[in-house]
């Protein structure tokens, strides 16, 4: 290869590098402050969401609700938003009710070849600001893979709400469909005999994804009884029963899901033989300070599960942020979490008739604080009328977050400001069957939780969306409880409301062609 060819290749490589640097830094890297000032926030152009397989029960039904809020600065004409059924694995791949225990593949370890899925779009949106909804029997319903672009992409949200009328899994199972990623933490899973926890892995792309599953109990890593690597075929979903991954039983454990190749959506369906069932959402990324928003005022028990993924132990201060102030739960002033081990504590009826949120902060000391992941299992009701839900550590709302499926009765929005007082605007969209949006502004005092019924849309009909916008002040964390009692059972589900990532920082880009000089 001659020098001219090498120079051309080098120039092309350098030009690509310059373009990349310009896109990421806005040109010169000498002045980071000026770069930060030059960055502007623009609406995202494309969003992907993944909805897990709802249920295999023949006494279940599922409501899907999709919504994109109206946004300033978004092209009002172009764009689409819809979901398509994921491919269903063949019978020998991963059947939660089959002989392979839901591990997938003919050898019980790997996913096999999927059977073709359908191609009829689900929940296509016609305009931002108005939700669309559909109901269907859950039995045989597939996982969904969705894409929104243009005006529908910023803040696109899909909620999946399943009702199971009878059986060990009876209850309300709700989840917000999630964006694909490569790393998830699920503190609060179980391999106990009275629980059946399935992790649903959905691959939105055209190449197979290789996924590692690792479980950590109170004494560290649970010894695997089989290969913990799972192959998820292209545009397919694979459920895995966690108790088949190890012979060790743990009432409370932490699951890490890591995609070695590709990207996936991950969600855990937890079914308790006595306390109902729900989806267990992933925790926010490991952090030294954690907020778990939205404990119901009538919670009969709460179990906190914390895991320290790093090399150091974590010492945490535990506080309950109520309507008026923050207090320390009696007998649980602090929590020591050993590195690589799951710690669980029962807080009982910690709310004492008032809504609240749990705040975990570093205990103090001279050394650096240790990041943790955390989750909370909440129970309402007693005896055979118990129902359970899960609240993970939830990231702060930077700009806005949305819960898509709300009802005229039964929705409770919880907002907690761990530090400084914050001002937020709550907007109820038009209903799926009509109506007009309604907005109200609230102040959340620092160190408190405000639980409120979101304002319903004017003359609204059908499910509606609720959007929380942080206007000013300190960080705000939020969750939404949907309560649909049935036959004396306080059925409910709780969804965290992290920031919707509908806006991204885009630095001003520039090119420096002097990098192409060949001296």
């Amino acid at each position: 290869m001659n020098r001219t060819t090498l120079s051309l290749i080098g120039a092309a490589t350098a030009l690509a590098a310059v373009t990349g640097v310009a896109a990421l830094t806005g040109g010169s890297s000498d002045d980071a402050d000026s770069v930060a000032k030059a960055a502007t926030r623009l609406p995202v152009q494309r969003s992907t969401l993944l909805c897990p397989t709802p249920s295999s029960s023949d006494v279940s039904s599922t409501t899907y609700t999709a919504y994109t809020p109206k946004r300033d600065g978004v092209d009002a004409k172009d764009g689409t938003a819809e979901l398509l059924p994921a491919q269903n694995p063949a019978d020998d791949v991963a059947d939660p009710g089959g002989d392979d225990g839901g591990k997938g593949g003919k050898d019980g370890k790997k996913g096999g070849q999927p059977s073709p899925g359908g191609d009829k779009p689900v929940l296509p949106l016609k305009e931002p600001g108005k939700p669309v909804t559909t109901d269907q029997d859950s039995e045989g319903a597939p996982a969904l893979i969705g894409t929104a672009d243009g005006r529908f992409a910023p803040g696109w949200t899909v909620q999946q709400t399943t009702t199971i009328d009878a059986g060990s899994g009876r209850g309300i199972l709700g989840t917000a469909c999630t964006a694909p990623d490569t790393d998830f933490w699920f503190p609060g899973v179980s391999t106990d005999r009275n629980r059946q926890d399935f992790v649903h892995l959905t691959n939105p792309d055209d190449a197979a994804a290789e996924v590692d599953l690792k479980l950590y109990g109170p004494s560290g890593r649970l010894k695997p009884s089989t290969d913990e690597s799972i192959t998820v075929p292209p545009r397919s979903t694979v459920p895995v029963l966690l108790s088949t991954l190890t012979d060790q039983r743990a009432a409370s454990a932490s699951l890490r899901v890591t995609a070695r190749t590709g990207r996936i959506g991950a969600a855990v369906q937890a079914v308790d033989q006595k306390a109902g069932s729900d989806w267990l959402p992933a925790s926010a990324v490991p952090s030294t300070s954690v907020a778990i928003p939205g404990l119901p005022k009538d919670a009969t028990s709460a179990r906190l599960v914390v895991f320290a993924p790093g090399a150091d132990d974590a010492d945490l201060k535990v506080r309950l942020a109520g309507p008026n102030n923050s207090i320390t739960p009696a007998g649980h002033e602090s929590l020591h979490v050993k590195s690589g081990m799951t710690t669980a504590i029962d807080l009982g009826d910690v709310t004492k008739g008032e809504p609240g949120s749990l705040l975990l902060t570093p205990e103090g000391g001279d050394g650096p604080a240790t990041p943790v992941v955390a989750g909370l299992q909440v129970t309402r009701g007693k005896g055979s009328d118990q129902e359970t839900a899960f609240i993970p550590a939830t990231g702060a709302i930077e700009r806005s977050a949305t819960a898509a499926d709300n009802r005229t009765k039964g929705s409770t929005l919880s907002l907690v400001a761990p530090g400084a007082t914050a001002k937020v605007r709550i907007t109820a969209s038009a209903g799926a069957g009509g109506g007009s949006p309604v907005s109200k502004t609230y102040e959340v005092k620092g160190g408190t939780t405000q639980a409120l019924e979101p304002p319903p849309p004017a003359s609204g009909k059908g499910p509606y969306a609720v959007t929380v916008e942080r206007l000013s002040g300190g960080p705000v964390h939020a969750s939404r409880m949907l309560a649909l009692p049935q036959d004396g059972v306080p059925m409910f589900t709780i969804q965290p409301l992290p920031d919707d990532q509908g806006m991204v920082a885009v630095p001003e880009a520039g090119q420096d062609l002097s990098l192409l000089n060949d001296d």
Side-chain angles (χ1 to χ4, degrees):
M1 187 177 293
N2 59 34
R3 177 177 173 82
T4 302
T5 304
L6 288 171
S7 298
L8 288 173
I9 293 174
T13 303
L15 182 58
V18 171
T19 305
V21 170
L24 293 173
T25 68
S28 172
S29 60
D30 295 336
D31 188 351
D33 291 336
S34 65
V35 169
K37 293 177 182 178
T40 58
R41 299 191 70 87
L42 296 176
V44 298
Q45 294 297 306
R46 186 179 178 87
S47 297
T48 300
L49 291 177
L50 308 173
C51 307
T53 305
S55 173
S56 59
S57 171
D58 58 1
V59 290
S60 64
S61 62
T62 296
T63 297
Y64 294 95
T65 307
Y67 176 75
T68 293
K70 288 185 176 180
R71 293 282 172 94
D72 294 334
V74 178
D75 190 319
K77 296 180 180 179
D78 298 330
T80 59
E82 61 186 24
L83 299 104
L84 292 172
Q87 293 176 328
N88 293 320
D91 291 340
D92 63 346
V93 176
D95 177 8
D99 295 335
D100 67 352
K103 286 185 291 186
K106 294 180 179 180
D107 58 359
K109 301 175 184 179
K110 301 284 187 177
Q113 293 301 315
S115 59
D119 56 2
K120 183 179 180 181
V122 179
L123 297 176
L125 289 180
K126 295 182 179 179
E127 59 180 299
K130 183 178 180 180
V132 295
T133 187
T134 186
D135 298 318
Q136 68 177 74
D137 292 337
S138 299
E139 186 182 15
L144 300 175
I145 298 173
T147 302
D149 56 23
R151 61 179 176 151
F152 295 108
W156 183 47
T157 304
V158 180
Q159 170 79 16
Q160 174 180 304
T161 307
T162 300
T163 302
I164 300 179
D165 294 329
S168 60
R170 65 100 181 95
I172 300 292
L173 297 86
T175 183
C177 302
T178 57
D181 208 335
T182 59
D183 197 23
F184 301 85
W185 281 102
F186 295 94
V189 301
S190 178
T191 61
D192 208 5
R193 285 180 171 79
N194 67 348
R195 278 266 293 268
Q196 275 200 324
D197 287 15
F198 285 89
V199 59
H200 290 247
L201 308 172
T202 305
N203 177 7
D205 298 321
D206 294 329
E210 293 291 332
V211 182
D212 288 336
L213 305 177
K214 295 181 180 179
L215 287 163
Y216 300 86
S219 299
R221 176 85 177 275
L222 297 184
K223 185 178 179 181
S225 60
T226 183
D227 187 356
E228 294 169 298
S229 177
I230 305 294
T231 298
V232 186
R235 301 191 64 80
S236 298
T237 190
V238 173
V240 181
L241 180 59
L242 297 185
S243 59
T244 63
L245 298 176
T246 178
D247 293 329
Q248 294 179 267
R249 298 290 167 252
S252 295
S254 299
L255 168 68
R256 186 176 192 180
V257 179
T258 307
R260 285 190 285 120
T261 62
R263 56 179 188 156
I264 53 161
V268 172
Q269 188 180 66
V271 179
D272 191 290
Q273 297 297 322
K274 297 180 180 179
S277 57
D278 206 347
W279 291 98
L280 192 158
S283 171
V285 297
S287 177
T288 55
S289 295
V290 164
I292 304 177
L295 280 79
K297 63 181 181 180
D298 59 350
T300 51
S301 68
R303 183 174 178 83
L304 174 64
V305 182
V306 186
F307 181 79
D312 300 318
D313 295 356
D315 289 293
L316 303 170
K317 182 187 300 183
V318 182
R319 292 183 297 147
L320 176 68
N324 302 309
N325 53 27
S326 294
I327 63 171
T328 300
H332 301 291
E333 295 81 3
S334 61
L335 182 65
H336 181 73
V337 184
K338 293 183 178 181
S339 170
M341 301 182 186
T342 297
T343 298
I345 57 173
D346 288 313
L347 301 174
D349 58 342
V350 64
T351 57
K352 304 296 183 184
E354 292 186 331
S357 302
L358 278 186
L359 304 177
L360 308 179
T361 54
E363 178 70 14
D366 299 330
T370 300
V372 297
V373 293
L376 194 68
Q377 181 177 355
V378 180
T379 302
R380 298 171 69 223
K382 296 181 179 180
S384 60
D385 292 334
Q386 291 183 73
E387 165 71 319
T388 192
F390 299 88
I391 315 172
T394 305
I397 298 175
E398 183 178 351
R399 288 182 174 259
S400 66
T402 298
D405 180 7
N406 294 276
R407 318 291 172 91
T408 304
K409 294 181 179 180
S411 291
T412 301
L413 190 64
S414 292
L415 309 168
V416 59
T421 296
K423 183 180 289 186
V424 300
R425 178 167 56 226
I426 311 298
T427 301
S429 74
S436 302
V438 173
S439 294
K440 289 186 178 182
T441 300
Y442 298 86
E443 184 178 82
V444 186
K445 294 182 179 180
T448 70
T449 294
Q450 188 165 156
L452 53 95
E453 267 191 46
S459 303
K461 297 180 180 179
Y464 63 97
V466 171
T467 298
V468 181
E469 298 173 272
R470 188 182 73 87
L471 302 178
S472 62
V476 176
H477 305 253
S479 68
R480 189 287 315 267
M481 181 176 78
L482 181 61
L484 301 172
Q486 181 175 307
D487 298 329
V489 179
M491 294 185 179
F492 75 114
T493 181
I494 299 176
Q495 276 73 61
L497 297 181
D499 191 87
D500 61 21
Q501 303 294 309
M503 305 289 285
V504 292
V506 180
E508 181 180 348
Q511 293 183 355
D512 183 3
L513 297 181
S514 64
L515 292 176
L516 301 181
N517 290 339
D518 184 14
D519 295 331

